[in-house]
Amino acid sequence: MDKLKLIANDPYLEPHAEVITSRYQAATAKYAELAGQQSLRDFASGHLWYGLHRTDSGWVIRDWAPNADAIYMIGDFNQWREGNSYRLNKLENGNWELFLAENQVRQDDLYAFSMHWPGGSGKRIPAWANRVAQDEQTLDFNAQIWVPEKLFEWKFPDYQRGDEAPLIYESHIGMAGEEERVHTYNEFRENVLPRIKEAGYNTIQLMAIPEHPYYGSFGYHVSSFFAPSSRFGTPDELKRLIDEAHGMGIAVIMDLVHSHAVRNEVEGLGKYDGSRYQFFHNGPRGEHPAWDSYCFNYGKNEVLHFLLSNIRLWLEEFKFDGFRFDGVTSMLYFDHGLGKAFTNYSDYFNENLDGEAISYFYLANKLIHEINPRALSIAEEMSGMPGLATRLEDGGYGFDYRMAMGVPDFWIKLIKEIPDDNWDMGQIFHELTSKRLDEKVVSYAESHDQALVGDKTIIFRLVDKEMYFSMRKDQPNMIVDRGIALHKMIRLATASAAGGSYLNFMGNEFGHPEWIDFPREGNNWSFKNARRLWHLADDPELRFHWLSDFDKILMDWIRENRLLEIPEVHWCYDNKADKILVYQRGDFLIVFNFNPVQSFTDYGIAYEPSKFKIIFNTDESRFGGQDRIDDRMTYYTRPSAGMTSQHYLHLYLPARTALVLKKESFKRIR
């Protein structure tokens, strides 16, 4: 075969060409095996056959449990007792099936399987269940029949996300309200969707959608992969949320956790048919040492069928616009990348790589874009694997974006360990723009990870305890002033230099105080820190709205000018001693003075003959600044000597401020 473009475009990959090519060939061979004469979408149709469905004469339920001896359907309809009329019949290849009369089960009935296997038996929630409910008193989970006679009617059935760069608002349904409780799909739709639209974001990333037994897991310990979490409402209420977002022109993607599964046996896939190896690897390879969970066996066609069908369900049944794949690093490496520093190319092309997982990524991204060519596929990956967000046909893994996970780590290290007057401007620019040329990344200053208990958000690191005492406008405080100034500058730098997309976790745009701490035994099961205090941003007497007002202007500027679709971010100038950083993107010049104490009058920046207007700056009073910069002026470059000499753009740069200028048409006088 011809040399893959991934290799041809990067000479550093040439020594590893054989490994890269063999991985690509293995993935394409698996695709040919599964798709055959049909499409991959046709293969990924397990949810249409397995699980409970209506028929012309009643109902049918099917499952895959190759190690089972017998399976009984138990539930409200038979007092949770085994009976021959509810016993599934064994078919070939480990499949089971039961046809039921119309009156044998009813909509909303609770049910489960009584699964028998050699040497034991146990209650199991069907793996393909499309709704699972938790009893408020016993806290037990059961499947619930959800096959409404009237199908959900979409108002915007043909919505397609545009080709604009994703401005992602990372969200969690349950903690999206102010009250100390779990909030709902309907409340998010009614109260939070309008905020996101007003804030200027065009994409919502929903966390914790598939059912998970422990609320505090943030949705990362999934138990029922085909069931949207019932603690937030019904499947139709989730659909209505997505439909209304589409009506606002907002795409909706979800966190997809195919990297592992909760160990639970009754309400999960753990030892589902009595065996450890049905869905997962047997032995140590099947257990994640850090997450207390089981790892999928991507070499099994039945497991691929399960996972790929799951992708198709969310795309077609719920009309999600794509996914952020969680735990990609863990899937790629046999050691899950734990405690490992990836320092050279050989770390990516040795025997530590799981080729079966690589083939799965090929299949998953092939399927996603076969179903919806405009869908988003984002990888949460920290090793820097070459080709991860490169096109499949070029030898890559097919993700549209990778998360720029080094950026928030860099900001945390800078704020935490280095005094303001030692910040290196060149290093800041490098960290914000460093990526492979053939890939796009989702840049972010902080996500939910930085907001969790045990960590701190940027504003909390900058302001700390003064957050509780000095956020009123009539309470002058130099620590808060510094925090607000740097919060704006950090987000401006991260967003304006982003490598294709930008993400913000809900509430962080206005500097939401404290950390996220879900109810748990250690906090006496409190919801106090598992909510969002929107009223802080709405209160005109508090400083929080300055940050959200700035963030809105920032998002509007990026979106209206399609800034992140301009691939090049050109370094123009930096001065470590003065703490000045200047770079250009398209017609825009972004100028930072990170100096904590020194303002500069008439600061000269070498530039070609041009004229500029200031679009906005962080020192505007509407953003909590001091209005020291005159944004009414037109700024012309001036020659240092004669007209043919080097021109300089002279600006007033107050301490801890940033300016966004737009280059205007300029006719040079000869």
Side-chain angles (χ1 to χ4, degrees), residues 43-47 127-129 210 222 224-228 254-258 296 303-318 320 323 360 367-368 371:
F43 171 77
S45 58
H47 58 297
W128 300 82
V222 176
S224 295
F225 285 77
F226 292 82
M254 64 174 276
D255 267 8
L256 190 71
V257 186
H258 283 182
F296 284 108
V303 174
L304 293 175
H305 188 226
F306 182 84
L307 296 175
L308 294 175
S309 298
N310 190 233
I311 287 173
R312 181 178 169 188
L313 170 99
W314 294 117
L315 289 174
E316 293 187 344
E317 179 70 18
F318 289 88
F320 275 98
F323 306 97
Y360 167 71
L367 175 66
I368 289 168
I371 293 173

Side-chain angles (χ1 to χ4, degrees), residues 225-242:
F225 285 77
F226 292 82
S229 181
S230 62
R231 56 171 57 88
F232 308 136
T234 70
D236 281 6
E237 288 166 350
L238 172 58
K239 291 177 182 179
R240 188 176 177 191
L241 185 166
I242 295 169

Side-chain angles (χ1 to χ4, degrees), residues 160-188:
Q160 289 281 308
R161 63 172 294 273
D163 59 358
E164 70 273 16
L167 302 176
I168 302 171
Y169 199 83
E170 186 184 32
S171 306
H172 184 281
I173 299 292
M175 59 171 289
E178 294 225 9
E179 297 180 28
E180 296 185 28
R181 60 176 174 84
V182 177
H183 295 84
T184 67
Y185 299 125
N186 283 342
E187 289 170 320
F188 189 95

